[in-house]
Amino acid sequence: MNLHLHTPTDFPLFPYDPPYEIQTQLMRHLYESIEARKVTIVESPTGTGKTLSLLCASLTWLSDERERGKKGKMEVAGGDVEAKDWVIEQTLARMRREMEADEREYEEKLAKARRREEMLRRAAKARVVKRQKVVSEMNQTLSNEENDDRFLPETEEGETADGEMHISPALRALMAKVEMGHIPGSRYGQDEEEFNCTKIYYASRTHSQLSQILPELSRLKIKHREISVMDYHPPTIPAKRSIYDDERDTSESIPSTRTVSLGSRKQLCINDNLRAKARDLDEACRELLGEKDEKRCPHLPTTAEEEKLLDFRDQILASPKDIEDLASAGRLFNTCPYFGSRRAIPQAQLVTLPYNLLLQKSAREALGINLKDQIVLIDEAHNLIPTLLSLSTVNLSSTVLILSFHQVCVYVARFKTRLSAINMLHLKRLVIFLDALKKYLAEWQASRKSSSGNDKTEVMTPGELIGRLGKKVGGINLLEIESYLKTSKVARKIASYADKQAEKDTDPSTKKEIRKGMVPPLHVVEDFMLALMNTNDDGRVTLSLVSRPGQEDTIAIRYQLLNPSPHFMEIVEEARSVVLAGGTMSPISDVVNQLFDYLPVERVTHFSCDHIIPEENLQALVVSKGPGGSELVFKAENQTDPTIISQLGQLLLNFANMVPAGLIVFFPSYRFLNGAKDMWTKSGMMDKFNVKKKVFFEPEESSEVDKVLQEYAAAARKPQEGKKGALLFAVIGAKLSEGLNFADDLARGVVIIGLPFANLGSPELRERLKYVKRLEELQQATGKPSTKDKGQKDAAAELYENMCMNAVNQSIGRAIRHRGDWASLLLVDKRYATTSIRNKLPKWIGRKLVVAETFGQTVKEMGSFFRGRRPVPPL
């Protein structure tokens, strides 16, 4: 039996008929990639309905996969049995009825949950809900408890370090099951595995980006669809009808996509008392899992009340909810939304979650996420590589190290008579490591201060650092210490004991402030120790001497992972299909080389679609010469030249006069922008800008961004008397270059000045470039076929150029946000005309690119584009 799913020619779930051709192409490509178990990179410009197309294609495949599973079961039941046709027919008909009955029963359960939620919401509006009072015993547990037993390390057997029971083994096992979302003995106990279904994990960078998914999901024509493309029915058995084909009350829409949004305790905890007092919300929550009666969290049902948690799970799945909706529902039902959402994962068909919960193995394990044969869809994936590298980066200061050493020593001195031999052994090894690292940093700092050179940094491998710490540290298994810290939770206990002692300190001059939510110092050391155990060649440790006026010098220790691939490899190997999607993924070759170089070429595909706007709505110009006729090349050494800055000002003044409404100018760095601003202010050029357009600058503080954008939007849409809109100066890769929508009159022109190459003075960047170059040389030495095109730069130069163009492409993407939009994209630097740079632009821009050889040609091209176009009338 061939149950292969053939790629459909149309997608009935899509809400608009007909979809754009590029939308159909994208959906077909995605469906085919999922079915073929491939990794694919999808580039779909903003305004082309990317999210809608991704949801439609993946959910269509999911529906077809569900039907394939049913037909497979029936074929197994009837295919190899020697019986009369009527026996086979009755057996298969019975199986079909049972499967449909299961679906119908669960859908009816979710429909009841929706009706109950609506009734509760109406009741909540009709009365004032008083905040639940929490008994004083919980406060005492959190802050004033004087029993020092709680500071003793825990063991895997559930006993404290001195042998007294702290948490029973049975209770600890139960807590583990709660953490993983499974409790035995429930009325659904036998059905949990049966209901565990194939699902889509839809990840994006932030919760605000994820919140945009549910409105798009609601647009889809969610209904059951037969798989006509399979063209399979068992002999003599009539075509199966879906439960959705039955006549039913259509007054209530019953969505067939069960959805759950995942978040951290920080987003979902509804225990206000715990949030206000706990310094570490995760650990404080875990502590409450082992408490009883009044000390237990009032929002987490007990094992005897398990049905309450299961009912809340159904409530979550009854209708799609974002993180805010989920927290509100938790308060409405007085049930923990954090654990409720985790219980909903097995039955969910669509799971939305932020990057960090998907990419970190520890987070996936804590949430009970199993990616085996599931679909992983990562949106806004242009941020994926930087995110993978940042999640593996550990920053440890000498101040935190010294504080950790002091806290451990005080803790050991206080509890040495109560600690078991194994606890003392691990803690003494920890003290040896901390002491050795502290002494080495002091020696390193002294040597740097005494040297005549200006080099205040040093880069080394983890192995080199451990070697410099001495033979005692070299003989210690850091993985054993890290494992001990994790199981004993002694880092939190040491920090808690230190906080208690600080609270008792009555001397204002020595009393230290306890900051709520501060990570225990030893946790940072723990992360650093674990990082040192990573593959030696894939990571680097950088020591930097930090001098601050009026304060003692400190040393910043930074572990940096050079290769983003290993941490993503496990996801790729487990998942059925991985989809990386973004408005701008160019250069796509960079993503393949950094993340999927180890995969067979045939398993990695990519799709890049044109924009939906008419060709005449986009102008893309390379401005290679200024008004004075000189070539424009804004390398670092030219960015402080008064003559070049003056010519740039004159060029932008011409643009401000020609571009209607809003004009955005992106500089490669704050240093360049601020230098130009000072020169133009002194020369009077800034006053000339203000005559043409109202001028705005990207704010230094993130809190001021909204205010600046609102004022800029008002000036761009409703120009003041005598002005032609607004002019906004911003920086590539900064606050205004990503995630913002400058549609219509907010950006009729986007100017990119120069190329934002990263600072080669950064030791971390130099090490990463050396790493990729050395890796390329190793591959060549082993005879691995090269994937480079003829004339292409070496791996380090390619990576350096790709990092630059990734930032440029994101800034360019701020304009042209929908089919009717139009704008001029002006790339002001001669280097944009080179083949290597042009090839790294999105295809929908690169194909339209015109290189203006003179400034006169630039003015002519712009005049032709803007002639006859008018800004959108203000509302």
Side-chain angles (χ1 to χ4, degrees):
M1 176 180 61
N2 180 15
L3 290 179
H4 174 74
L5 297 179
H6 298 285
T7 307
T9 56
D10 60 271
F11 292 83
L13 294 185
F14 201 77
Y16 307 112
D17 190 21
Y20 300 130
E21 179 62 26
I22 60 173
Q23 292 172 332
T24 300
Q25 292 172 2
L26 190 159
M27 289 187 287
R28 285 178 55 84
H29 171 84
L30 187 61
Y31 188 104
E32 183 178 335
S33 298
I34 294 173
E35 175 63 14
R37 298 177 176 270
K38 291 186 176 182
V39 170
T40 186
I41 303 165
V42 174
E43 182 178 55
S44 180
T46 302
T48 55
K50 169 174 61 72
T51 303
L52 200 60
S53 300
L54 294 174
L55 287 171
C56 181
S58 55
L59 289 174
T60 297
W61 181 89
L62 200 64
S63 174
D64 293 350
E65 162 70 6
R66 204 158 53 237
E67 294 301 308
R68 171 167 56 185
K70 294 176 184 178
K71 292 187 177 183
K73 287 181 181 179
M74 290 190 290
E75 176 66 13
V76 169
D80 298 323
V81 179
E82 293 183 4
K84 295 182 179 180
D85 288 346
W86 66 270
V87 175
I88 298 174
E89 180 176 346
Q90 286 194 355
T91 300
L92 296 181
R94 177 180 55 79
M95 292 181 63
R96 186 183 308 119
R97 287 194 302 270
E98 289 175 353
M99 287 185 287
E100 290 184 354
D102 289 341
E103 288 186 6
R104 184 181 292 108
E105 180 182 357
Y106 197 67
E107 289 294 347
E108 289 174 353
K109 184 191 302 180
L110 297 185
K112 290 179 181 178
R114 283 193 295 275
R115 288 193 290 269
R116 181 178 172 223
E117 181 176 359
E118 181 60 27
M119 291 173 61
L120 282 175
R121 290 192 184 281
R122 290 176 181 174
K125 289 180 180 179
R127 67 180 187 274
V128 177
V129 180
K130 295 183 179 180
R131 179 174 293 184
Q132 183 177 8
K133 295 182 180 180
V134 182
V135 295
S136 59
E137 284 84 354
M138 180 175 291
N139 294 337
Q140 295 172 357
T141 301
L142 290 171
S143 59
N144 297 323
E145 184 178 350
E146 294 299 324
N147 186 357
D148 283 352
D149 286 353
R150 63 193 176 105
F151 298 124
L152 291 173
E154 296 178 14
T155 67
E156 291 183 354
E157 289 74 23
E159 298 179 349
T160 56
D162 60 355
E164 294 184 5
M165 295 305 296
H166 181 61
I167 299 177
S168 69
L171 181 56
R172 182 173 294 281
L174 180 60
M175 287 166 56
K177 292 181 180 298
V178 171
E179 287 278 305
M180 298 301 293
H182 300 288
I183 301 179
S186 70
R187 59 190 175 93
Y188 295 111
Q190 302 299 319
D191 300 332
E192 290 290 341
E193 290 299 321
E194 180 180 341
F195 275 98
N196 203 322
C197 59
T198 304
K199 54 182 61 62
I200 302 162
Y201 286 96
Y202 198 121
S204 193
R205 193 160 59 102
T206 64
H207 283 295
S208 61
Q209 290 169 334
L210 289 170
S211 65
Q212 300 170 16
I213 296 173
L214 298 188
E216 295 299 300
L217 179 66
S218 67
R219 297 176 191 270
L220 296 177
K221 299 176 181 177
I222 299 292
K223 60 182 180 180
H224 186 81
R225 185 173 70 87
E226 290 295 321
I227 316 176
S228 58
V229 293
M230 286 181 57
D231 198 23
Y232 168 80
H233 296 292
T236 73
I237 303 299
K240 183 176 77 65
R241 295 178 71 246
S242 163
I243 62 171
Y244 296 98
D245 293 332
D246 298 336
E247 292 185 5
R248 59 173 64 247
D249 180 10
T250 58
S251 61
E252 179 182 10
S253 174
I254 301 182
S256 63
T257 304
R258 300 186 295 274
T259 305
V260 61
S261 301
L262 298 183
S264 64
R265 286 179 173 89
K266 183 178 180 181
Q267 279 104 22
L268 293 175
C269 178
I270 58 174
N271 189 330
D272 295 327
N273 192 67
L274 192 70
R275 294 178 70 96
K277 293 185 175 294
R279 81 180 260 154
D280 186 331
L281 191 60
D282 288 326
E283 291 296 339
C285 175
R286 292 188 184 102
E287 278 189 355
L288 290 187
L289 290 178
E291 299 291 356
K292 297 180 179 179
D293 303 325
E294 293 86 357
K295 293 182 179 181
R296 181 183 175 83
C297 178
H299 307 291
L300 183 62
T302 63
T303 53
E305 302 172 316
E306 183 197 348
E307 282 200 22
K308 184 177 180 181
L309 191 61
L310 294 176
D311 287 342
F312 185 55
R313 174 199 66 181
D314 294 341
Q315 208 68 53
I316 292 171
L317 296 172
S319 59
K321 297 174 177 64
D322 62 21
I323 289 296
E324 292 183 0
D325 295 334
L326 196 54
S328 298
R331 292 185 182 279
L332 191 66
F333 289 91
N334 192 31
T335 306
C336 176
Y338 177 73
F339 284 104
S341 60
R342 292 168 62 173
R343 292 300 301 269
I345 294 175
Q347 291 79 23
Q349 296 162 313
L350 175 64
V351 180
T352 68
L353 70 169
Y355 275 3
N356 61 318
L357 297 185
L358 174 72
L359 301 179
Q360 292 180 295
K361 184 177 181 179
S362 58
R364 295 198 302 273
E365 290 176 347
L367 289 168
I369 291 175
N370 182 3
L371 297 179
K372 184 66 176 176
D373 292 328
Q374 308 295 347
I375 303 165
V376 174
L377 203 165
I378 301 178
D379 205 353
E380 303 296 329
H382 60 273
N383 285 308
L384 180 59
I385 292 174
T387 301
L388 284 167
L389 294 173
S390 67
L391 287 174
S392 304
T393 298
V394 181
N395 292 297
L396 172 66
S397 69
S398 56
T399 304
V400 171
L401 175 65
I402 293 171
L403 178 59
S404 297
F405 177 71
H406 174 73
Q407 289 184 351
V408 174
C409 290
V410 170
Y411 180 85
V412 171
R414 166 65 179 82
F415 293 97
K416 62 183 178 181
T417 59
R418 301 185 61 186
L419 293 171
S420 65
I422 190 66
N423 277 283
M424 284 298 296
L425 177 64
H426 284 306
L427 289 173
K428 283 182 178 179
R429 288 173 175 173
L430 176 61
V431 169
I432 291 172
F433 172 79
L434 295 174
D435 188 39
L437 182 57
K438 180 173 70 73
K439 288 178 178 177
Y440 172 71
L441 293 182
E443 294 170 0
W444 184 88
Q445 181 175 350
S447 67
R448 293 290 153 166
K449 283 186 174 182
S450 61
S451 66
S452 56
N454 294 322
D455 189 7
K456 302 298 183 183
T457 63
E458 184 179 3
V459 182
M460 63 194 77
T461 66
E464 288 172 340
L465 174 63
I466 293 175
R468 297 181 188 186
L469 299 183
K471 292 182 179 179
K472 286 187 176 180
V473 172
I476 295 175
N477 187 331
L478 294 183
L479 277 178
E480 283 186 4
I481 298 180
E482 195 280 329
S483 176
Y484 166 73
L485 292 173
K486 185 175 182 179
T487 56
S488 67
K489 300 178 181 173
V490 75
R492 173 182 54 78
K493 293 174 180 292
I494 290 174
S496 298
Y497 180 73
D499 290 347
K500 176 189 171 184
Q501 296 305 110
E503 288 175 353
K504 288 182 175 181
D505 194 344
T506 57
D507 185 352
S509 62
T510 60
K511 186 170 183 177
K512 296 178 181 178
E513 178 186 359
I514 301 173
R515 289 179 291 168
K516 178 196 164 199
M518 186 181 76
V519 176
L522 200 54
H523 273 332
V524 183
V525 175
E526 184 180 351
D527 291 340
F528 183 69
M529 293 172 65
L530 185 61
L532 292 180
M533 294 296 96
N534 284 332
T535 306
N536 192 49
D537 195 51
D538 279 354
R540 293 293 182 273
V541 177
T542 303
L543 304 184
S544 304
L545 188 61
V546 180
S547 300
R548 291 173 291 185
Q551 300 183 34
E552 292 185 7
D553 292 348
T554 59
I555 301 173
I557 316 165
R558 179 184 177 92
Y559 173 84
Q560 174 196 14
L561 188 67
L562 303 176
N563 184 5
S565 177
H567 286 270
F568 197 59
M569 188 182 299
E570 185 174 340
I571 293 175
V572 174
E573 291 177 345
E574 285 189 1
R576 175 193 180 95
S577 178
V578 175
V579 182
L580 307 187
T584 305
M585 295 297 296
S586 299
I588 290 177
S589 60
D590 182 53
V591 182
V592 176
N593 291 336
Q594 292 200 60
L595 291 180
F596 309 119
D597 187 55
Y598 63 93
L599 290 177
V601 176
E602 60 273 11
R603 199 190 166 194
V604 183
T605 64
H606 65 85
F607 176 87
S608 182
C609 68
D610 284 333
H611 214 299
I612 56 175
I613 62 170
E615 284 197 9
E616 60 271 17
N617 281 20
L618 170 67
Q619 178 184 61
L621 277 177
V622 174
V623 183
S624 57
K625 290 186 178 180
S630 59
E631 289 186 343
L632 299 174
V633 181
F634 293 102
K635 293 184 177 180
E637 59 267 24
N638 297 334
Q639 294 177 8
T640 55
D641 188 326
T643 303
I644 292 178
I645 299 297
S646 175
Q647 186 168 190
L648 175 60
Q650 189 60 49
L651 177 145
L652 293 177
L653 186 62
N654 278 273
F655 290 171
N657 192 45
M658 299 182 69
V659 177
L663 172 64
I664 303 176
V665 179
F666 285 104
F667 276 72
S669 67
Y670 281 108
R671 178 174 168 270
F672 188 7
L673 173 57
N674 292 332
K677 178 182 177 181
D678 292 340
M679 290 186 190
W680 289 335
T681 301
K682 293 176 182 177
S683 68
M685 182 61 73
M686 193 62 66
D687 294 331
K688 294 180 181 179
F689 288 150
N690 268 303
V691 170
K692 300 295 182 182
K693 294 180 180 291
K694 188 171 182 180
V695 178
F696 298 87
F697 287 89
E698 180 173 311
E700 294 184 3
E701 301 295 331
S702 298
S703 57
E704 299 177 2
V705 168
D706 288 342
K707 179 184 176 183
V708 171
L709 289 178
Q710 289 173 7
E711 293 177 354
Y712 167 76
R717 289 172 173 153
K718 298 181 180 180
Q720 297 177 356
E721 185 177 353
K723 296 183 187 291
K724 296 182 177 180
L727 171 60
L728 176 60
F729 289 102
V731 176
I732 298 172
K735 305 175 188 70
L736 305 183
S737 64
E738 185 178 335
L740 295 177
N741 183 356
F742 290 100
D744 299 319
D745 284 351
L746 297 186
R748 292 307 182 191
V750 174
V751 181
I752 308 292
I753 298 174
L755 289 156
F757 284 106
N759 179 15
L760 281 173
S762 164
E764 288 90 353
L765 176 59
R766 289 200 304 267
E767 285 300 318
R768 192 171 175 214
L769 296 179
K770 287 179 186 177
Y771 173 81
V772 296
K773 188 171 183 177
R774 187 167 59 253
L775 198 62
E776 182 184 49
E777 292 170 351
L778 180 63
Q779 290 172 345
Q780 292 172 351
T782 55
K784 183 177 180 178
S786 175
T787 57
K788 289 199 307 182
D789 297 329
K790 187 177 180 180
Q792 192 175 2
K793 302 179 179 69
D794 63 53
E798 277 295 306
L799 175 60
Y800 188 55
E801 196 172 84
N802 289 339
M803 291 169 65
C804 167
M805 291 309 296
N806 280 330
V808 168
N809 291 337
Q810 290 307 310
S811 296
I812 288 175
R814 297 313 93 213
I816 310 292
R817 309 296 288 186
H818 59 84
R819 181 175 177 80
D821 209 351
W822 52 270
S824 176
L825 306 179
L826 305 162
L827 307 177
V828 185
D829 196 301
K830 182 183 178 181
R831 291 173 289 176
Y832 281 107
T834 61
T835 302
S836 63
I837 295 296
R838 292 183 66 168
N839 289 341
K840 290 178 170 63
L841 290 167
K843 291 182 180 179
W844 63 277
I845 294 176
R847 194 165 42 247
K848 286 277 296 178
L849 197 65
V850 174
V851 179
E853 299 295 339
T854 66
F855 188 71
Q857 184 184 354
T858 298
V859 173
K860 182 179 178 181
E861 293 282 351
M862 290 180 67
S864 176
F865 179 76
F866 287 112
R867 192 173 298 117
R869 296 186 184 273
R870 294 288 182 269
V872 177
L875 298 176

